[in-house]
Amino acid sequence: MFPRDAENSHVGANVAGGVLAPTRFVWPYGGRRVFVTGSFTGWSEHIPMSPVEGCPTVFQVICRLSPGLHQYKFYVDGEWRHDERQPFLSGNYGVVNTICILSEANPLAALPSPGTPNNRMGMDVDNETFHHAAALREGTMQGGTVRISEEDIKISRSHISMFLSSHTAYDLLPDSGKVVALDVNLPVKQAFHILYEQGISVAPLWDSLRCQFVGVLSALDFILILQELGNRGSNLREEELETHTIYAWKEGKHQLLGQLENHGKSLQSCMIHAGPYDSLKDVAVKILQNEVSTVPIMYPSAHDDGSFPQLLHLASLSGILKRICRHFRHSISSLPILQQPICKIPLGTWDPRIEDQSGRPLVVLRQNSLLSLALSLLIQAKVSSIPIVDENDSFVDIYSRSDITALAKDRVYAQIHLDKMNIQQALQLGHDMPSQGGFDGQRCQMCLRTDPLMKVMERLANPGVRRVIIVEAGSKRVEGIISLSDVFRFLLC
């Protein structure tokens, strides 16, 4: 907490010669618990902010301020933050935002900053954030933001590339943790339950005969298994999962899995991994090129044949992105693209009515859609998740490949038919599912298309988050989706 400054403490009190003006403070970048404090509280009181109805990533609060220049700062989830979109300066309390209250200010009006008479402060969500979005639809930006230039993209990519090339996979290793690996001779049913109980969607496979890691078991495997169980012509029955091993499943579905994942490579040769001394850039490129969610970081043994490697960590794009955000958080000016709104950047999948950049269709489903349809789309469209909307086309949830492990609860997979269970029922099963990696954050991360790229990256850097849904302010209609791989393909292009 900042030290008290009694000279500037005048919240809720009349000041001689002035009238207190209601002023709305806005934090539009999300969080769980958001507070504002400043010179008007003597830097001693944290004023809680509340989410805006219909837009849970935007927080606001109204304070009564006396005329004059005030400094303020936000306290978000235990960290001091300032809004780089608003006027700021470096002072006794670090980088702080500033606001000037005029002696005859209109209540809740956006006020100009000293020295920038034409720059609106944007303290009012309704009058600035939503109008800001409307201005973008017409191809203009309030506050002087211009369309991103090729030079800005080139400079930003160069800085990020240099950072990733100078750091290794060792930087991703946590101080403590565990990695769950499965023996290839485990029955498929037991492996299914282990993933569910551990709250994970992927695990490396260990072959005790070869003394090597030979592949991974992922949520895609269980989607294919459940589809096979539902196939009347299938030779695989539910009772056979008791004895059907992972190895037998992988070998038995070699041709199908080869078409979907590894272009015909055998189980023994499809183990994609990285070493602890590989650069973060090499790890990220390996994940993108092989279209996988994680890459095992393994330390090779001293044996000439490479046996008995040590499995150190499962590297993911979110872990690498977290390192990028942490490094550039206080030098955001060196990466011009991070301050640009995401609708001005060529990445992600968008509703064609908004932007048609990727050429990929934006797939959404309603809550009453059949689970079998969702699983088929996840495979055929080669996407990891599908936004779920209600009857008003408002975003309500998301169904991901990893959600399939929720069907292991009480052996639900053996009691349901995929063509009879709807998505809402399937998602209900997952509400009690253990969180991946102990992450207890919001399941569905949302942003507005006017939000800066840095905000999207910080959301994606959270463990367990692999995509951000872009919604329309107020209605929450789905306008687009940006995934981790989208961000890295753009940054490393």
Side-chain angles (χ1 to χ4, degrees), residues 251-276:
E251 288 297 311
K253 304 306 282 187
H254 167 70
Q255 181 177 1
L256 178 59
L257 289 176
Q259 294 173 349
L260 292 173
E261 288 186 316
N262 300 304
H263 309 289
K265 295 180 181 179
S266 67
L267 176 63
Q268 183 178 0
S269 62
C270 70
M271 181 61 177
I272 303 163
H273 67 280

Side-chain angles (χ1 to χ4, degrees), residues 308-455:
F308 299 99
Q310 299 179 34
L311 180 60
L312 304 176
H313 183 61
L314 292 182
S316 65
L317 292 178
S318 64
I320 300 175
L321 190 61
K322 186 174 183 179
R323 298 286 305 180
I324 295 175
C325 292
R326 184 183 301 171
H327 179 78
F328 291 102
R329 181 173 297 162
H330 301 296
S331 57
I332 194 171
S333 60
S334 65
L335 297 178
I337 59 173
L338 298 190
Q339 305 173 60
Q340 293 289 333
I342 52 178
C343 64
K344 295 295 182 181
I345 303 174
L347 81 163
T349 302
W350 294 79
D351 186 325
R353 293 171 294 182
I354 306 298
E355 192 79 32
D356 190 12
Q357 297 174 338
S358 67
R360 302 191 304 266
L362 178 63
V363 181
V364 298
L365 290 176
R366 296 195 183 277
Q367 293 170 296
N368 59 357
S369 299
L370 294 177
L371 178 59
S372 58
L373 175 60
L375 298 182
S376 296
L377 285 175
L378 287 173
I379 295 175
Q380 295 170 5
K382 294 184 178 180
V383 294
S384 62
S385 60
I386 300 174
I388 309 302
V389 299
D390 61 15
E391 62 277 4
N392 298 317
D393 292 332
S394 296
F395 176 64
V396 293
D397 211 328
I398 193 166
Y399 193 83
S400 307
R401 286 185 183 181
S402 57
D403 289 320
I404 197 68
T405 56
L407 298 183
K409 181 181 179 181
D410 301 325
R411 295 178 62 254
V412 172
Y413 61 85
Q415 306 167 29
I416 57 101
H417 294 282
L418 298 181
D419 55 356
K420 293 183 178 180
M421 172 176 277
N422 63 38
I423 294 176
Q424 187 173 17
Q425 293 169 330
L427 287 171
Q428 189 64 38
L429 293 172
H431 287 170
D432 299 328
M433 181 178 173
S435 59
Q436 296 189 32
F439 177 62
D440 60 356
Q442 293 182 351
R443 168 184 168 83
C444 303
Q445 298 288 333
M446 295 178 287
C447 284
L448 304 178
R449 54 179 157 137
T450 54
D451 288 329
L453 177 59
M454 185 63 176
K455 176 180 178 179

Side-chain angles (χ1 to χ4, degrees), residues 16-125:
V19 179
L20 297 182
T23 305
R24 178 178 282 115
F25 289 88
V26 175
W27 177 258
Y29 309 116
R32 299 187 186 92
R33 300 184 64 192
V34 182
F35 302 84
V36 65
T37 188
S39 57
F40 46 86
T41 70
W43 297 104
S44 61
E45 179 186 356
H46 288 29
I47 302 173
M49 305 178 71
S50 303
V52 175
E53 184 176 356
C55 196
T57 63
V58 179
F59 290 76
Q60 68 174 353
V61 68
I62 297 175
C63 300
R64 300 179 65 84
L65 305 186
S66 62
L69 181 64
H70 299 275
Q71 299 179 0
Y72 64 95
K73 203 162 186 174
F74 299 95
Y75 193 63
V76 184
D77 298 336
E79 293 186 8
W80 290 106
R81 306 279 296 277
H82 71 281
D83 189 346
E84 295 195 356
R85 287 186 174 182
Q86 308 304 330
F88 60 87
L89 54 81
S90 297
N92 296 333
Y93 306 107
V95 180
V96 298
N97 290 114
T98 61
I99 180 174
C100 182
I101 303 298
L102 303 181
S103 58
E104 296 181 356
N106 294 326
L108 300 183
L111 300 168
S113 170
T116 54
N118 296 321
N119 180 33
R120 297 188 62 197
M121 287 293 294
M123 301 303 293
D124 191 328
V125 172

